[in-house]
Amino acid sequence: DADVTQTPRNRITKTGKRIMLECSQTKGHDRMYWYRQDPGLGLRLIYYSFDVKDINKGEISDGYSVSRQAQAKFSLSLESAIPNQTALYFCATSDFGNEQFFGPGTRLTVL
Amino acid sequence: AQSVTQLGSHVSVSEGALVLLRCNYSSSVPPYLFWYVQYPNQGLQLLLKYTSAATLVKGINGFEAEFKKSETSFHLTKPSAHMSDAAEYFCAVSDRTGGFKTIFGAGTRLFVKA
């Protein structure tokens, strides 16, 4: 089984809808991250969490919120989706200062 | 603040030729440096990492990178490209000033010609 799983893998939605992307990990790591990937822009950090009670904004948090339900679960919400949030979203986990382990990604399209 | 610059959004090489992907970083303290690879329709996976041990780091699939503090560089090389190396490559940096969160470069897409 994969160490980091993301659901759904693909989602098409309409402007104004609320969307939640979920991430689960079996690595036992405290640190979890949400990134979005856009062509030519690499990965940009949306939110990150260094433990269950620690949530931090990344470089592009506007329009997004997160919830760390447990050490293994970190969800990303778009309260009111807009077309420029169409992107590939990745969840990742890590130990302190170490390599990140990525999920397979969620392709989100907002019409 | 940390930052990463990858020179060249696209690099094209012939099969068997040298691969050189460039990465420069900015960090006010000793960094951790990483190269990740992303194959089509997949997430990122680690190629190699530098964490203040040997400056020449060997990774998977024949790739290696050299940490040069004086040049603030961490370029990725492979002596002989293979068709299966075609992918997108990301350089990344983390350090203690950012709580060790990771900052990624914009990526370099590698094309390998037969």
Side-chain angles (χ1 to χ4, degrees), chain A residues 9 31 33 35 37 40-43 45 48 50 59 88 90 96-105 107, chain B residues 9 32 34 36 38 41-46 49 51 88 90 94 96 98-107:
Chain A
R9 294 293 313 280
R31 298 183 168 210
Y33 311 81
Y35 296 91
Q37 183 179 22
L41 297 178
L43 274 74
L45 185 61
Y48 60 103
F50 284 173
E59 51 186 307
L88 189 54
F90 286 104
F96 178 81
N98 220 323
E99 70 175 281
Q100 300 202 356
F101 294 84
F102 286 82
R107 188 169 297 280
Chain B
S9 59
Y32 287 4
F34 308 85
Y36 289 85
Q38 183 182 28
N41 301 312
Q42 295 186 26
L44 280 71
Q45 59 183 274
L46 184 72
K49 62 182 178 184
T51 55
E88 188 152 24
F90 293 92
S94 71
R96 61 179 172 80
F100 286 102
K101 68 178 186 293
T102 303
I103 302 299
F104 287 84

Side-chain angles (χ1 to χ4, degrees), chain A residues 25-45:
Chain A
Q25 54 109 348
T26 58
K27 299 291 291 183
H29 293 160
D30 286 327
R31 298 183 168 210
M32 298 188 73
Y33 311 81
W34 275 104
Y35 296 91
R36 66 176 278 175
Q37 183 179 22
D38 299 277
L41 297 178
L43 274 74
R44 292 182 291 167
L45 185 61

